[in-house]
Amino acid sequence: MRVKRANKIGLARLIRDRLGIVVDTSALFDVHIKRIHEYKRQLLNLIETVALWQAMRAEPARAWVPRVKIFAGKAAAGYAMAKLIVKLANDVAAVINVDPCVKDLLKVVFLPNYNVSLAEVIIPAADLSEQISTAGMEASGTGNMKLALNGALTIGTLDGANVEIREQVGGENIFIFGLRANEVAERRANGRDAAEVIAASPPLAQAIDAIASGAFSLDDPQRFDRLTQALRHADDYLVAADFEDYFATQRRADTLYGQKEVWSRACIANIAGMGWFSADRAIRTYAEAIWHAPA
């Protein structure tokens, strides 16, 4: 944990130097670094961020666990919705980071120009690893392995390599939430009423309303209409459907982070459990089970 603390200080310095944002290094560093895509659901994370901000403002006396939400990643040149999500992340950060009501309880950071050198600073400093793709849509994923190997606990759907990570680190050392792949397929086959789901969740409805009303884009109140309309009328990536479980699971992460010895033990379990993903083991398994090559 001393090593983790030193790495968080290093990342905090980089954030200050590049963006001028000062973050609390004792806060939970919540990291979402990957290609910007609707199925990878940075939007779900951002809506939860807005809902958390609203809850903190509504209950200032509550013992909130301080968080730093860290985003990084690139959007494809022609992917308009992904670029809009990047813009939303920056606009949300601009409002929350200067709000005196939350002070150091919540900071939002979007680090531009994501590359390997930046990942080398972010990954060892992460406390929580966001692997929240719509179940059934992530082929595998390797970023989740790198983050777990560096002592970050995963919050994620039962998708891609999250399945194997849970097997290796133990269910008590990972935060799994949301619809399973078969449930996603069933929901799509039977149709879904996103508006009904949103109406049933006041925190979700309030967060979407804030974005839709221009609370984060006063210069252009309709800027994020495409995002909010897609949520209300389609919800193709089950953002609304998974929100309540995601929000509740984030609060479970808060509770565990407050128990330093328990959190530390879970970090160690994640580091140790990643041995199964070594290249030696993987190639040996392929040689024996797939290629039938002699040792």
Side-chain angles (χ1 to χ4, degrees):
M1 298 315 291
R2 284 195 297 270
V3 172
K4 177 66 72 175
R5 169 80 173 167
N7 290 331
K8 290 173 73 172
I9 290 172
L11 177 55
R13 286 173 177 158
L14 184 147
I15 291 169
R16 180 198 62 197
D17 292 346
R18 294 196 182 183
L19 300 177
I21 301 170
V22 177
V23 300
D24 177 7
T25 54
S26 68
L28 189 159
F29 277 23
D30 178 350
V31 169
H32 201 164
I33 48 172
K34 52 182 73 254
R35 182 166 48 89
I36 311 298
H37 198 294
E38 288 168 279
Y39 89 82
K40 292 181 182 289
R41 299 203 295 188
Q42 285 89 356
L43 183 57
L44 174 59
N45 192 349
L46 287 167
I47 292 172
E48 192 273 337
T49 302
V50 173
L52 177 59
W53 172 65
Q54 291 173 325
M56 286 176 168
R57 287 172 60 89
E59 298 181 72
R62 183 170 163 180
W64 296 102
V65 172
R67 276 199 185 227
V68 180
K69 291 269 198 173
I70 299 164
F71 296 86
K74 294 181 178 179
Y79 195 169
M81 290 291 270
K83 289 178 178 290
L84 203 54
I85 290 168
V86 173
K87 180 60 177 168
L88 177 62
N90 282 276
D91 284 354
V92 166
V95 172
I96 291 177
N97 292 345
V98 297
D99 183 359
C101 295
V102 297
K103 296 180 181 178
D104 287 331
L105 284 178
L106 183 61
K107 296 289 185 184
V108 184
V109 174
F110 190 100
L111 284 160
N113 301 318
Y114 183 57
N115 57 20
V116 171
S117 297
L118 190 54
E120 288 174 341
V121 181
I122 297 173
I123 290 173
D127 292 311
L128 192 65
S129 165
E130 298 272 353
Q131 307 297 331
I132 60 175
S133 57
T134 310
M137 298 195 72
E138 184 64 77
S140 175
T142 56
N144 49 4
M145 303 173 197
K146 299 181 183 81
L147 283 150
L149 179 61
N150 280 270
L153 274 61
T154 299
I155 181 168
T157 50
L158 204 59
D159 194 32
N162 290 349
V163 176
E164 288 81 11
I165 288 177
R166 185 178 69 163
E167 292 172 356
Q168 298 304 315
V169 308
E172 70 278 12
N173 298 313
I174 186 171
F175 301 103
I176 297 295
F177 75 93
L179 298 169
R180 300 329 195 219
N182 64 308
E183 293 171 324
V184 169
E186 183 180 340
R187 195 178 185 92
R188 284 178 167 157
N190 296 335
R192 57 199 179 277
D193 188 343
E196 185 177 329
V197 172
I198 293 168
S201 171
L204 173 60
Q206 290 163 17
I208 294 174
D209 286 346
I211 295 167
S213 68
F216 304 100
S217 54
L218 294 176
D219 59 321
D220 181 7
Q222 283 76 49
R223 178 178 294 152
F224 301 113
D225 280 358
R226 287 187 65 187
L227 292 177
T228 56
Q229 292 300 316
L231 283 174
R232 286 170 168 162
H233 301 296
D235 195 24
D236 289 331
Y237 298 93
L238 289 303
V239 169
D242 273 346
F243 174 83
E244 280 285 330
D245 197 8
Y246 179 57
F247 190 87
T249 304
Q250 288 281 21
R251 305 293 73 78
R252 285 202 294 116
D254 285 339
T255 299
L256 198 69
Y257 188 72
Q259 303 170 29
K260 295 304 180 185
E261 185 174 337
V262 180
W263 185 276
S264 301
R265 191 181 299 276
C267 289
I268 294 167
N270 272 266
I271 294 167
M274 289 302 99
W276 188 84
F277 292 99
S278 72
D280 288 347
R281 197 279 313 159
I283 296 302
R284 188 181 307 114
T285 299
Y286 267 95
E288 294 171 354
I290 307 298
W291 303 326
H292 304 294

